[in-house]
């Protein structure tokens, strides 16, 4: 008898370890492990104690309802401790894990009840077969779900939690009813409903993935829309500069006529004065000095300069960049377009003398961009210290700065906002070229 | 006292620049001595022979030796001199950026730009023109801040590395950082045990700085964001150009 007991104990421990293995197999599909070793260690320790200890000590004596509650709490605590990610996402996946686990146990149990009473009474064998079923489900999930970077907003996660939590409840009820019922087919129907519930729970993953894909597509659409808008703007700027070229050519003709007139009279002094005037007025420079040879930067800065000056905002710029900078023009135009647009929006509402100061510098193969403007009012910050838009239409606005952050990250760079002086907004971006 | 070189093959333009700079300096109460060079070779020779300049106004388009190659040669001997390119082109070649130019001025140079450039350059130079003082073996010693490449700490001992020598003393890097902050000299704490002189940083990326003596110092992970922000701030000197 003693040897028998030892064997049972051993098998129990092996099954516990198998559960731990399944736990990791499942969660690693959706989450990455945390780096902090203490928390992970605590989580794993709890998992081991729960799986090996509790089954032997109190597992048998607890009422089913407490057992289920215990399982739910333990899985959640362990998942929160070990893995990275949002709380509600962990909540959803740990409850779904429990639901699938319980449902497969129930399914196997039901099947045994139908075919052989003897097998149903052997706890160990049932537990083993149900874990095997769980294993098959998880392996199938691993095959189907490949994308790991799925993030849904909390509201979606909470809604999905209801499905799995609800099915655990229904399963419990069905089990109780079938157990107490005298009806001949109770077990068959119970088996079918458990199978249906299991299927619904597996479907959650499919729904989750679809929702995540949908969200991603929507985000990308916003980015594309923005790029389209930028290229439209670019087009406008080119038209504008063509117009200016025409004006210059026209003026040049007039200027030559005047010079010729002075020359014919032999008035050298007047010619010098006239030429100086023309040069100072900048009539010779079509694009008001924005000319670095870099078409993207030139046209963007030119566009925002004219827009700003139309609104009575003084536009100061200092562009110290070579013709061919080793950065993608799409990225540069995204950053510059957003920063300058924000600057114009901000300066427009400023009191007193409105101004924008832009500095772009190419330094040691890195690109440094600073934009400064004055504004009126308060900046709104979210928890992560990122700035929130102050515009009313939050959904469509505020995409600007996040995409600047995103591009900066791509170049290992940073975006920093200096608001230490009141009513002065200064944003600096560093992009590393190496 | 600032030593300034003006190099342009158009002698009239160079003399004109000299007068302009002298006037600006007088208005800002700065003592200057200006040498005019007519070609890149003579300027490079002067630097090699030990003529130490604080600022060089350098024409890019010159016959024989152009400004960019002259600047490269000068950089081999003098890592900290401020090079200000004067050019009649509105677009700059990538090559001209390899010597870390302080600013570009476009001919014809407008007086307001000239003055703004001079002032920011003067501020830049005077911020590192003082001495770092320390005590070692009961002796008070000093070393010019702009000669220091970086400080390295090893427990209580601190090593200061200059172009020519290494000096040691006892202290804390945190205290030195605070002291240098007060003098407005640009130093970056890239690592718990490294404090580097920004003037001597030849290359900078998100995870390391390359000093101009070839020493590569990595930026510790938790400081990268801060260093990146400080870097951008340092280069963002207010100057109204084009």
């Amino acid at each position: 008898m003693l040897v028998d007991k030892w064997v049972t104990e051993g098998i129990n421990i092996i099954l516990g370890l198998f559960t731990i293995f399944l736990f990791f197999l499942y969660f690693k599909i959706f989450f990455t492990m945390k780096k902090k070793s203490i928390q992970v260690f605590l989580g794993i320790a709890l998992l081991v104690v729960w799986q090996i200890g509790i089954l032997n000590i109190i597992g048998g004596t607890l009422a089913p309802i407490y057992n289920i509650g215990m399982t739910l709490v333990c899985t959640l605590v362990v998942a929160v401790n070990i893995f990275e990610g949002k709380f509600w996402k962990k909540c959803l996946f740990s409850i779904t894990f429990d639901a699938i686990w319980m449902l497969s146990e129930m399914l196997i149990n039901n099947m045994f009840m139908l075919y052989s009473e003897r097998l149903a009474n052997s706890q160990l064998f049932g537990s083993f077969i149900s874990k095997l079923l769980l294993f098959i489900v998880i392996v199938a999930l691993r095959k189907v779900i490949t994308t790991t970077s799925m993030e849904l907003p909390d509201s979606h996660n909470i809604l999905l939690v209801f499905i799995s939590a609800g099915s655990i409840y229904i399963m419990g009820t069905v089990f109780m009813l079938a157990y107490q019922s005298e009806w001949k087919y109770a077990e068959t129907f119970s088996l079918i409903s458990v199978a249906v519930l299991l299927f619904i729970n597996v479907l959650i993953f499919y729904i989750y993935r679809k929702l995540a894909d949908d969200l991603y597509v929507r985000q990308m659409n916003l980015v594309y829309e923005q790029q389209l808008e930028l290229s439209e703007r670019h087009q406008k700027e080119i038209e504008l500069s063509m117009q200016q070229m025409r004006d210059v050519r026209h003026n040049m003709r007039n200027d030559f006529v005047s010079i010729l007139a002075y020359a014919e009279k032999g008035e050298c002094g007047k010619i010098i004065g006239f030429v100086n005037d023309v040069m100072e007025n900048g009539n010779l420079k079509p694009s008001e000095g924005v000319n670095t040879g870099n078409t993207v930067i030139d046209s963007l800065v030119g566009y925002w300069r004219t827009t700003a000056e139309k609104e009575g905002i003084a536009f100061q710029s200092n562009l110290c960049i070579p013709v061919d900078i080793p950065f993608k023009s799409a990225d540069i135009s995204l950053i510059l377009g957003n920063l300058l647009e924000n600057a114009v929006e901000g300066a427009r509402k400023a009191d007193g003398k409105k101004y924008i100061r832009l500095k772009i510098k190419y330094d040691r193969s890195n690109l440094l961009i600073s934009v400064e403007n004055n504004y009126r009012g308060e900046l709104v910050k979210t928890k992560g210290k990122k700035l929130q838009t102050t515009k009313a239409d939050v959904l469509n606005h505020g995409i600007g700065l996040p995409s600047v952050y995103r591009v900066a990250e791509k170049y290992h760079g940073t975006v920093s906002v200096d608001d230490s002086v009141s009513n002065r907004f200064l944003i600096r971006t560093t992009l590393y070229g190496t | 006292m600032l030593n300034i070189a003006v190099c342009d093959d158009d002698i009239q333009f160079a003399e004109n620049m000299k007068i302009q700079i002298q006037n600006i300096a007088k208005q800002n109460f700065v003592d200057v001595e200006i040498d005019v060079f007519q070609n890149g070779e003579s300027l490079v020779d002067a630097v090699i022979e030990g003529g130490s300049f604080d600022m060089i106004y350098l024409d890019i388009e010159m016959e024989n030796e152009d400004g960019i190659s002259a600047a490269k040669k000068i950089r081999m001997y003098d890592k900290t001199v401020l090079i200000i390119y004067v050019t009649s082109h509105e677009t700059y070649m990538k090559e001209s950026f390899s010597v870390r130019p302080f600013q570009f001025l476009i001919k014809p140079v407008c007086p307001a730009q000239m003055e703004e450039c001079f002032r920011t350059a003067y501020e830049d130079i005077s911020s590192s023109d003082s001495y770092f003082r320390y005590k070692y073996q009961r002796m008070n010693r000093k070393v010019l801040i702009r000669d220091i490449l970086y400080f390295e700490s090893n427990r209580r001992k601190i090593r200061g590395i200059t172009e020519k020598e290494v000096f040691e003393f006892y202290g804390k890097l945190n205290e030195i950082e605070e002291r240098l902050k007060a003098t407005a000299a640009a130093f970056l704490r890239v690592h718990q045990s490294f404090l580097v002189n920004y003037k001597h940083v030849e290359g900078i990326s998100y995870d390391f700085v390359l000093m101009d003596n070839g020493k590569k110092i990595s930026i510790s992970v938790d400081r990268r964001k801060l260093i990146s922000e400080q870097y951008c701030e340092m280069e963002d000197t207010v100057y109204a150009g084009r």
Side-chain angles (χ1 to χ4, degrees), chain B residues 1-240:
Chain B
M1 173 76 163
L2 289 184
N3 283 318
I4 299 175
V6 175
C7 182
D8 199 306
D9 56 356
D10 178 352
I11 184 74
Q12 221 179 339
F13 184 84
E15 285 298 332
N16 201 355
M17 282 279 280
K18 181 178 168 178
I19 293 163
Q20 264 195 63
I21 296 167
Q22 270 168 344
N23 286 339
I24 292 169
K26 208 182 272 174
Q27 280 161 21
N28 289 285
F29 310 106
V30 181
D31 229 3
V32 290
E33 195 184 301
I34 304 174
D35 291 327
V36 173
F37 297 87
Q38 279 187 56
N39 50 52
E41 290 91 335
S42 58
L43 173 64
V44 173
D45 285 345
V47 171
I48 292 174
E49 277 160 25
S52 131
F53 297 109
D54 298 297
M55 285 154 86
I56 296 175
Y57 288 83
L58 186 56
D59 184 19
I60 291 186
E61 302 87 18
M62 286 189 292
E63 278 178 40
N64 295 330
E65 178 150 42
D66 68 25
I68 297 172
S69 79
K72 278 184 185 164
K73 281 180 194 162
I74 292 165
R75 262 287 172 266
M76 292 199 296
Y77 297 94
D78 192 335
K79 307 283 191 193
T80 49
V81 59
L82 299 184
I83 293 172
I84 296 158
Y85 281 125
V86 186
T87 168
S88 48
H89 283 284
E90 289 193 340
T91 56
Y92 318 137
M93 277 179 292
K94 205 159 117 197
E95 221 192 326
S96 56
F97 284 84
S98 66
V99 295
R100 259 190 282 153
F102 182 73
Q103 194 50 264
F104 285 82
L105 293 173
I106 298 173
K107 286 183 191 174
V109 187
C110 97
Q113 258 182 39
M114 188 87 176
E115 179 161 3
E116 188 61 45
C117 176
F118 180 83
R119 260 199 240 150
T120 44
Y122 176 63
E123 260 169 45
D124 198 279
I125 293 160
S126 50
S127 71
S128 61
D129 205 20
S130 49
Y131 284 97
F132 176 78
R133 286 160 211 281
Y134 63 99
K135 213 171 189 174
Y136 189 61
Q137 290 174 338
R138 270 171 287 156
M139 285 274 283
N140 281 315
R141 294 152 202 262
K142 64 177 185 177
V143 55
L144 208 57
I145 287 179
R146 74 167 143 203
D147 287 342
I148 301 169
L149 269 69
Y150 60 91
F151 290 100
E152 182 182 355
S153 77
N154 187 2
R155 294 205 190 95
R156 288 274 297 142
K157 202 169 214 173
I158 291 185
R159 272 152 44 91
I161 284 87
T162 70
E163 279 170 68
K164 295 181 194 75
E165 50 158 10
V166 175
F167 57 95
E168 285 184 337
F169 57 98
Y170 291 97
K172 278 185 182 154
L173 218 48
N174 282 350
E175 280 163 16
I176 295 170
E177 194 182 357
E178 285 303 311
R179 257 167 67 197
L180 288 169
K181 220 173 256 171
T183 65
F187 275 77
L188 289 175
R189 186 73 179 272
V190 294
H191 192 277
Q192 181 63 35
S193 45
F194 282 100
L195 184 64
V196 305
N197 188 346
Y198 183 66
K199 289 263 146 70
H200 286 280
V201 171
E202 191 167 284
I204 177 165
S205 186
Y206 70 100
D207 58 348
F208 69 88
V209 289
L210 183 67
M211 306 309 295
D212 52 22
N213 66 348
K215 167 91 175 170
K216 193 173 172 180
I217 301 168
S218 61
I219 303 172
S220 49
V221 180
D222 53 329
R223 291 177 195 267
R224 282 179 192 167
K225 192 168 155 44
L226 185 69
I227 294 293
S228 163
E229 287 172 11
Q230 285 175 343
Y231 168 39
C232 194
E233 198 178 327
M234 275 176 193
E235 287 299 331
D236 183 23
T237 44
V238 178
Y239 161 79

Side-chain angles (χ1 to χ4, degrees), chain A residues 291 317 363-364 366 414, chain B residues 90 201 204 228 231 235 242:
Chain A
N291 185 8
S317 62
D363 176 83
R364 281 163 270 199
N366 308 318
T414 50
Chain B
E90 289 193 340
V201 171
I204 177 165
S228 163
Y231 168 39
E235 287 299 331
R242 46 199 203 152

Side-chain angles (χ1 to χ4, degrees), chain A residues 20 23-24 33-50 74 77-83:
Chain A
I20 295 170
F23 179 86
F24 276 102
M33 294 259 278
K34 271 185 191 166
K35 277 181 195 134
K36 271 187 211 154
S37 54
I38 302 167
Q39 263 186 318
V40 174
F41 179 76
L42 271 177
I44 293 174
L46 180 64
L47 192 65
V48 171
V49 167
W50 167 46
C74 277
V77 170
V78 171
V80 166
N81 268 319
I82 298 184
F83 298 103

